[in-house]
Amino acid sequence: MSPQADARSNRLGNNRPDSDVPGSDMPGSDMPGSDVPGSDVPNGGMPETGTRRMRDCSGHLSPIDAEIPEGPPPRGHDRSGSRAGRWWVIGAIVLVVWSLWSTGIGREPVLNPPGLQTLRSFWEAALRPDLSAEYLRRTLDATLITVTFALLGTVLASLIGLVGGVLMSEAWWAGGRRGRPARGGARQSVRNGARRPGWMLTRIGLGIPRGIHEAVWGIILLVILGRDPLVGILALTIPFGAITAKVYAEIIDETPSGPYDALIHAGAGRLQAFVYATLPRIWDDLLAYAFYRFDCAVRSAVILGMIGAGGLGFELITAFQGLAYERMWTLIYALVLLGWVFDRWSASLRHTGRGRWMRISALLGLALTVWSVVYLRPDLGRLVSASTWERAGRMAADALPPSLPSTWADLLGDAAATVQMSVLAVVVGSAIGVVAAFLGVHRPGDGPVRAAVAGACRIILLTIRALSPPVWALLLLFVVLPGPLPGALALGLYNAGVLGRLFTEVLETMDRRPVLSLQLLGAGRITTFVYGVLPLVAGRFTAYALYRWEIAIRETVVVGVVGAGGLGRVLESQRASFDYSGMLTVVIALLLLSLLVDLASASARRAWR
C-alpha cells in the first residue's frame, strides 16, 4: 500500500478514537468524536509519509504524526526542536504540580467522611436494582427518548456536515473554473488563491458552534423552547453538525483529486464533479463516521437529559436527588447496555469487508429515523412561532452586552479551576489507561489466564466510558467535597475508559519486530520493554493524551453543571438566576480557554514529535 493510501486508511477507514469519546470510541468523541469525544482507534502502523489524524466524540481532528521527510532534518532544526521539547516538559510538570496543589490534597479537607456510609448504601443497591414492571416501563421510555434524541440529532448533523464539509474543504474552493482545473493541488491553490477568504470565513463560521459544548446549547435552547423534544435534537445537531463538517472536509481533502480534476477539465461544474467523481469514493467513509457520531450522541443525549431535556439523564438526576439508589442502578445498567450495543455496532463498521454490513446498517438507521420521528412527534412549528422568536430576542437583548458574573478575580479563578480540572483529568485518565492497556492487550497465543485478564480489562474500560462524566461526578460527590477535585476525578475516570482502549489498540497493532529481535538476543523483560516497546508507543500515548486534553477542557462544563466546580458551575448558577449576560461571558471564557488549550496542545505535539 502506498504511503498516501495508508495515511488515508488510517484517517478514514478503521478504528476511530472514542470520545467521547467521546467518545467514544473517541471523541467527542468518542471522539469527537472522536473523538472524542468521544469515541475509535487508528491503526498502529505508521505511514512512511503523510499525516496521521485522530478524532474523538467531539470530532476534533489532531495530527498524530507529522510528515516524515525522506532525509534527516537540519541540525539547527533538531536543536531548536529538542530545546522546545525540554521547555514543554518543564511546563507540563509545572502545570500538573500547580493543578495538584490547587485541589488542597494534604493541605485541607477534601473528603466527606459521612458520605462513605451513603456510598456504601449506593453500592449495596447494585445487587437489588428496581425491577418493578412500572419502573422498567419508565426506564424503557427514557431509553427510547435518549436514543431518538441521539439518532435524529445525528441524522441532521450528518446532513449539515455533508453540506458544510464540502464548503469547508480546500478541494471545493480550489476547484478551478470549467475546463480549467486548479494548478498546484487543492491545498496550495486555496492558500495562494483568490478564494481563500471564502474558505476561511466558512471554517470560522462553523468553528464557533463546534467550540461550544452541546450542554451549553441545551441550556440556551431550554430557555427558548422550554421542555420540548426539539431541545435534545437541536442541542446535538448544532455542534455535531459543525464537528461532522470538519471531519467530512478532511475526508474530501484527503481523497485523490484525479477524477475530480478530469471532470473539471472536461467542462463540468464543481458540484457536478463532486457528486460524480468524489462522493461515490468516500460514501462508505461518510456513513462510517455518521454511525460513529451516533455512538457519541447517545452519551451526549444522557448529559442533555441531566440538564432538563428528558430521557435517561433526567431520570438519573431525579433518582439521585431522591436518593433512590435502586432506581439509579436500573438506569446505570441501561446505560451500560446501551453503551455496549452501540460500541459494538460502531466498531463493526470499522472493520475491513464492511460493505454489505454498512448497507444493512444504513437501511436499519433509516427505518429507525422514521420511527423516531413518529415516536417523538417534534413540533417544527415551534421553531417559527412568534413566541419562540420573542423569547429568543428577549434572551439576546438580556445577554448583550456581556457582563461579569461577579468579579474579574472570581472569573479568572473559575477559569483556572477549569484548566486544573482538565489537566488532572488527563493525568488520571492516562495513568489508569496505561495500566489497563498493558493488562488488557491480547494477542493470538495468549494463555487462558492472560485472555481472561484482558477480557476483564476491556469490560471495565467499556463500562467506565459508557457512563458520562456527570454520572461519575454525581457518584464522587458522595465522598468528595464539592469543588474541582470531584470534577477532575470524574473526567479522569471517563477518559481512562477512552484512553485505555486507545492505548490497548496501539499495543496490539505496534510493530513487533524490535521486541522479537531483543528477545532473540536474550534481553530480559525490563530491557525489552524499555528499548523495544516504550520507544514505539510513547509518542502515540503522548499524542492521545494531549488530544484528550483538548476534549477535556470542553467537557469540564458538563461536570460543573452538577456542582463539581469550574466555569460549568458558574454557568449553571447564572442560568438559575436568569443572568443571561453573565452566561454569555462564561461561554466566551470557555471558548477562549478551548482555543488556548488547542494551541498549547498542538505546539507541544510539534515540539515532542
Side-chain angles (χ1 to χ4, degrees):
M1 180 181 293
S2 68
Q4 291 81 4
D6 188 25
R8 181 172 180 269
S9 172
N10 287 331
R11 167 65 182 77
L12 305 179
N14 301 330
N15 302 334
R16 293 179 171 86
D18 185 6
S19 99
D20 96 15
V21 24
S24 146
D25 284 36
M26 185 257 70
S29 82
D30 49 87
M31 240 152 258
S34 9
D35 119 344
V36 182
S39 331
D40 319 324
V41 189
N43 294 334
M46 292 174 59
E48 296 176 8
T49 62
T51 299
R52 292 285 307 281
R53 295 177 181 271
M54 57 186 164
R55 69 174 68 84
D56 206 89
C57 276
S58 72
H60 185 76
L61 298 172
S62 299
I64 300 180
D65 302 308
E67 287 195 12
I68 303 176
E70 295 181 0
R75 288 188 176 183
H77 177 274
D78 183 58
R79 287 196 299 269
S80 62
S82 176
R83 189 182 305 112
R86 288 194 294 270
W87 278 112
W88 273 110
V89 168
I90 295 173
I93 293 173
V94 171
L95 192 60
V96 171
V97 172
W98 172 62
S99 301
L100 285 171
W101 175 263
S102 69
T103 62
I105 296 177
R107 298 184 296 109
E108 57 188 45
V110 295
L111 298 179
N112 179 30
L116 291 174
Q117 182 59 41
T118 304
L119 185 62
R120 178 181 176 183
S121 301
F122 168 79
W123 286 106
E124 289 175 348
L127 302 176
R128 53 177 194 278
D130 188 344
L131 300 179
S132 63
E134 178 185 358
Y135 197 71
L136 286 178
R137 283 194 299 269
R138 186 170 168 179
T139 301
L140 177 61
D141 185 60
T143 302
L144 294 177
I145 290 174
T146 297
V147 172
T148 51
F149 281 171
L151 183 58
L152 294 178
T154 301
V155 170
L156 293 175
S158 298
L159 295 176
I160 294 174
L162 181 59
V163 177
V166 172
L167 296 178
M168 286 180 67
S169 67
E170 296 179 347
W172 173 261
W173 291 98
R177 296 188 297 273
R178 290 177 182 269
R180 184 178 178 183
R183 296 182 178 180
R187 294 180 183 272
Q188 186 68 21
S189 176
V190 167
R191 289 168 184 167
N192 298 333
R195 286 174 171 167
R196 178 180 173 84
W199 173 71
M200 287 294 296
L201 288 174
T202 304
R203 297 184 76 90
I204 293 172
L206 288 171
I208 294 175
R210 187 175 68 245
I212 300 176
H213 196 276
E214 55 268 19
V216 179
W217 287 111
I219 291 173
I220 295 172
L221 291 169
L222 276 171
V223 175
I224 297 174
L225 298 173
R227 285 288 302 279
D228 188 274
L230 288 172
V231 171
I233 298 171
L234 295 179
L236 293 172
T237 298
I238 296 171
F240 280 22
I243 290 168
T244 305
K246 182 177 181 182
V247 174
Y248 283 2
E250 295 286 343
I251 292 175
I252 293 169
D253 284 337
E254 293 180 11
T255 302
S257 61
Y260 177 88
D261 290 341
L263 285 180
I264 292 290
H265 184 76
R270 286 185 292 166
L271 180 60
Q272 187 179 12
F274 172 78
V275 171
Y276 287 100
T278 303
L279 188 60
R281 292 185 294 156
I282 64 174
W283 183 250
D284 283 351
D285 294 313
L286 301 184
L287 280 181
Y289 182 76
F291 279 102
Y292 158 75
R293 178 53 51 192
F294 173 58
D295 182 22
C296 298
V298 171
R299 286 185 286 273
S300 295
V302 174
I303 295 173
L304 293 173
M306 300 182 77
I307 62 175
L312 283 172
F314 180 77
E315 294 294 336
L316 190 63
I317 196 71
T318 302
F320 175 80
Q321 292 171 347
L323 301 182
Y325 304 136
E326 292 80 5
R327 293 188 170 187
M328 285 186 68
W329 275 105
T330 303
L331 298 166
I332 289 174
Y333 289 143
L335 285 173
V336 173
L337 180 60
L338 268 184
W340 183 84
V341 169
F342 292 125
D343 181 86
R344 294 299 88 203
W345 188 4
S346 177
S348 68
L349 297 173
R350 298 193 297 268
H351 296 158
T352 56
R354 60 188 180 176
R356 182 181 179 186
W357 176 233
M358 180 74 71
R359 290 189 292 271
I360 295 174
S361 296
L363 292 175
L364 180 59
L366 179 61
L368 288 175
T369 301
V370 174
W371 173 82
S372 297
V373 173
V374 174
Y375 180 78
L376 279 183
R377 297 184 181 275
D379 182 11
L380 298 180
R382 290 179 64 92
L383 296 177
V384 295
S385 66
S387 59
T388 297
W389 285 100
E390 181 183 353
R391 285 193 294 269
R394 190 164 55 245
M395 182 181 184
D398 292 340
L400 295 172
S403 64
L404 286 174
S406 53
T407 64
W408 277 109
D410 291 338
L411 182 65
L412 293 176
D414 289 317
T418 299
V419 174
Q420 292 160 354
M421 287 167 61
S422 67
V423 171
L424 293 178
V426 172
V427 171
V428 172
S430 299
I432 298 176
V434 167
V435 174
F438 279 101
L439 292 176
V441 65
H442 175 61
R443 298 186 182 90
D446 286 345
V449 176
R450 186 73 185 83
V453 172
C457 285
R458 289 173 181 266
I459 292 174
I460 293 173
L461 291 175
L462 174 60
T463 301
I464 61 178
R465 71 173 178 267
L467 299 181
S468 302
V471 179
W472 288 113
L474 289 175
L475 300 181
L476 288 166
L477 284 171
F478 281 131
V479 292
V480 182
L481 294 175
L485 183 59
L489 294 177
L491 288 171
L493 287 172
Y494 176 75
N495 280 283
V498 176
L499 289 172
R501 176 178 175 177
L502 297 177
F503 293 167
T504 300
E505 294 290 338
V506 170
L507 291 172
E508 289 183 343
T509 58
M510 61 175 276
D511 187 355
R512 298 283 299 168
R513 288 173 295 180
V515 175
L516 295 177
S517 298
L518 288 171
Q519 290 175 344
L520 289 175
L521 292 173
R525 289 187 175 183
I526 297 178
T527 302
T528 301
F529 173 77
V530 172
Y531 294 100
V533 176
L534 198 57
L536 292 179
V537 302
R540 296 283 302 281
F541 281 12
T542 303
Y544 279 133
L546 286 172
Y547 174 62
R548 287 307 303 177
W549 184 34
E550 299 174 21
I551 305 303
I553 193 69
R554 296 170 173 86
E555 290 179 335
T556 54
V557 69
V558 302
V559 294
V561 296
V562 297
L567 287 173
R569 178 191 58 79
V570 180
L571 185 69
E572 175 62 17
S573 175
Q574 299 307 306
R575 180 182 78 106
S577 61
F578 303 101
D579 183 4
Y580 300 135
S581 61
M583 283 179 59
L584 180 58
T585 302
V586 174
V587 171
I588 293 173
L590 286 168
L591 278 172
L592 292 176
L593 280 183
S594 298
L595 176 61
L596 289 175
V597 168
D598 286 356
L599 293 175
S601 175
S603 179
R605 277 197 300 271
R606 286 194 299 269
W608 290 337
R609 188 171 291 132

